[in-house]
Amino acid sequence: MSGEHASRQLIDDYARGDATMAADTVWALEAHLETCALCRGHLAACVSTEAPGIAALVDTVRAGLEPQLDAAVRAPSRRHRPRWVAAWLTPVMAPWLAMTVLVTLMALLLDAVARPVFLGGVSPVLAIAPVLPLCGVAASWSRGLDPAHELTASTARAGLPLLLRRTAAVLVVVLPALLVEGWLTGTMTAAQWLLPSLAFTSTALALGSVVGVTRAATGLVGAWGVVVVLAWATDHGPVDLERVLQPDQLPSWGLFLALGIGAVIARRNAYSTL
């Protein structure tokens, strides 16, 4: 790569299918070609001169498909979706995010009608707030829930950047909802749940580089569920949920968050193979 465009020699080698090209060079070139019309034009010219067999194959396929495409019934036009939506969200994230917000509303209802006797007086919203973003994170990177998973995973932009964009999209929806519900209940400050939420999210991403993001997020939600059940069953015995989420525990949650971020950075190259 030189300047803002790929070199002509690099494009020639790519068009010929040069097997000696490094994998990271190929991925960098493909990512550049997605956004550079000039280099794509050079690639098209190189294919016709450097790989005439491929050009002939494309022409043959086009000639065979054009009559069928002309005779096919045109599908109704779909409403145009901005490119940034596809870069930040998957088609299945909207219902999962709606479900996550619905869970927070149900917790708010419980808080209003049953908090004095529920979890020893701890707000149900506070009990689920630390792991609530994990529901959306698990859905945003689930192989089974993304119909375009194989296509997405094969692109040069797959990996940690895409995962971080989808995680940010989840946080943008979930965190404001929790802020509003904390304000409505009057018993939950952002200091009690915001840092734990971010700590759990970063840990899910870090563990996801080893076992998969969906498995990691699901496992952390289950572990926190055990903590909540123990807090309810022991009635402020071995596990004091309210104590765990007090502001004086922020240094511990901050360390938790820093370790998660450090692990994500250290294993940043592992996400392209998930």
Side-chain angles (χ1 to χ4, degrees):
M1 308 290 285
S2 60
E4 296 181 356
H5 299 288
S7 67
R8 194 60 179 265
Q9 181 61 46
L10 184 62
I11 295 178
D12 289 345
D13 293 342
Y14 181 77
R16 291 195 305 269
D18 189 350
T20 63
M21 292 182 64
D24 55 346
T25 302
V26 173
W27 278 66
L29 177 60
E30 291 176 348
H32 176 72
L33 289 171
E34 289 184 8
T35 59
C36 183
L38 179 62
C39 288
R40 288 198 301 271
H42 290 165
L43 177 62
C46 289
V47 168
S48 61
T49 58
E50 301 292 337
I54 295 178
L57 176 61
V58 172
D59 291 338
T60 301
V61 173
R62 182 184 294 114
L65 288 178
E66 278 182 345
Q68 302 178 40
L69 295 176
D70 292 338
V73 178
R74 289 185 176 271
S77 61
R78 297 182 178 179
R79 185 173 57 182
H80 177 68
R81 186 173 63 173
R83 291 183 61 185
W84 67 266
V85 174
W88 288 78
L89 301 171
T90 66
V92 298
M93 280 183 67
W96 276 86
L97 289 176
M99 181 200 70
T100 302
V101 174
L102 179 61
V103 169
T104 64
L105 294 176
M106 294 175 61
L108 180 62
L109 179 63
L110 275 175
D111 186 90
V113 301
R115 184 170 57 85
V117 295
F118 187 79
L119 292 178
V122 177
S123 168
V125 180
L126 181 60
I128 67 170
V131 295
L132 197 58
L134 297 184
C135 300
V137 171
S140 70
W141 203 249
S142 172
R143 180 190 299 266
L145 294 176
D146 186 359
H149 169 78
E150 292 184 356
L151 181 62
T152 302
S154 64
T155 63
R157 292 180 179 270
L160 183 58
L162 180 60
L163 177 59
L164 292 180
R165 285 198 296 269
R166 293 183 177 181
T167 302
V170 172
L171 295 176
V172 165
V173 174
V174 175
L175 296 187
L178 290 174
L179 283 172
V180 171
E181 295 197 7
W183 173 73
L184 291 175
T185 59
T187 58
M188 185 179 72
T189 64
Q192 288 179 280
W193 61 265
L194 181 57
L195 198 58
S197 294
L198 297 177
F200 271 113
T201 302
S202 67
T203 303
L205 299 185
L207 294 176
S209 66
V210 181
V211 300
V213 176
T214 302
R215 291 191 185 95
T218 303
L220 288 174
V221 170
W224 182 252
V226 172
V227 172
V228 171
V229 170
L230 288 176
W232 171 70
T234 56
D235 192 18
H236 299 281
V239 180
D240 189 341
L241 184 61
E242 192 170 15
R243 174 62 180 166
V244 170
L245 297 176
Q246 283 302 309
D248 61 358
Q249 297 297 318
L250 291 183
S252 299
W253 288 110
L255 177 61
F256 200 8
L257 173 61
L259 290 175
I261 294 175
V264 169
I265 295 174
R267 293 187 54 79
R268 58 188 178 277
N269 295 326
Y271 295 91
S272 59
T273 59
L274 290 179

